[in-house]
Amino acid sequence: MPLVRKHAPVRTDAEAGDRSPVPHAGAADLRVRLVEGTPEERYAAARLLAAMPEGADILGQALALEPDARVREAIFAGLARSSDAGAVDVLLRQLHSDDAGLRGGALDALRAMPGRLRPYLEALLSDGDSDVRLLACDLLREQPDDVAAALLPPLLDAETHANVCAAAVDVLAEVGDARSLPALQRCAARFPREAFLQFAIRVAVGRIGGPP
């Protein structure tokens, strides 16, 4: 397996201070390289760690400290491919980050693992952070229609933030059926002054085939 992309500059051992990752490097060595190495070394270490059982934990610890966008991308890709159950936990924590890049990267990685994410969806939709609940609505787009259609009506009945409701309504417009209509109507009644939400609900009801 190549250690670097073909278009990436190849550093000699001397240039790299003889620290280039090698395929047989252990997790402990790769952990050090992921923190202290050059961007190219960190990128290669992230790719190798993704295939190791203990890799998700190490990648998760390095993620918040990593300044290089390409290395972050490799870390997120590694977590998305990892078979470690901890990889999902690492990515879910990033949804609470103040760093938009970390939130976006985690969201993309979670979209790539819909089956593994499914057990966490109800908790995400009831998270104390409205931004996380809004992102959870977006993640439902990658789920089977019946999963999203079952989870969103209860959210609409309990949600207090109009923007989160709008995100849920937008998804229901694509996957909802007649069973979604009562929750949509109750949501419209709870937010009579939110014109954008009223409009979104009318569009969703129309697409589902309910009364205008």
Side-chain angles (χ1 to χ4, degrees), residues 76-99:
F76 279 124
L79 290 169
R81 293 195 309 270
S82 173
S83 59
D84 189 324
V88 178
D89 290 328
V90 168
L91 292 168
L92 290 176
R93 285 198 297 273
Q94 300 307 320
L95 295 182
H96 293 86
S97 174
D98 293 331
D99 185 323

Side-chain angles (χ1 to χ4, degrees), residues 5 43 46-51 55-56 59 63 69-83 87 90-91 104-110 112-113 116:
R5 293 177 179 172
Y43 173 80
R47 298 189 66 186
L48 291 171
L49 281 164
L59 291 173
L63 188 56
R70 183 167 173 260
V71 180
R72 278 189 177 187
E73 181 182 343
I75 292 175
F76 279 124
L79 290 169
R81 293 195 309 270
S82 173
S83 59
V90 168
L91 292 168
L107 196 65
D108 288 341
L110 290 168
M113 48 170 68
R116 294 166 59 192

Side-chain angles (χ1 to χ4, degrees), residues 13 18 22 32 58 113 120 189 194 198 202 206:
D13 286 350
D18 198 23
V22 292
V32 173
I58 299 172
M113 48 170 68
Y120 300 87
E194 300 291 354
Q198 296 288 328
R202 284 198 298 274

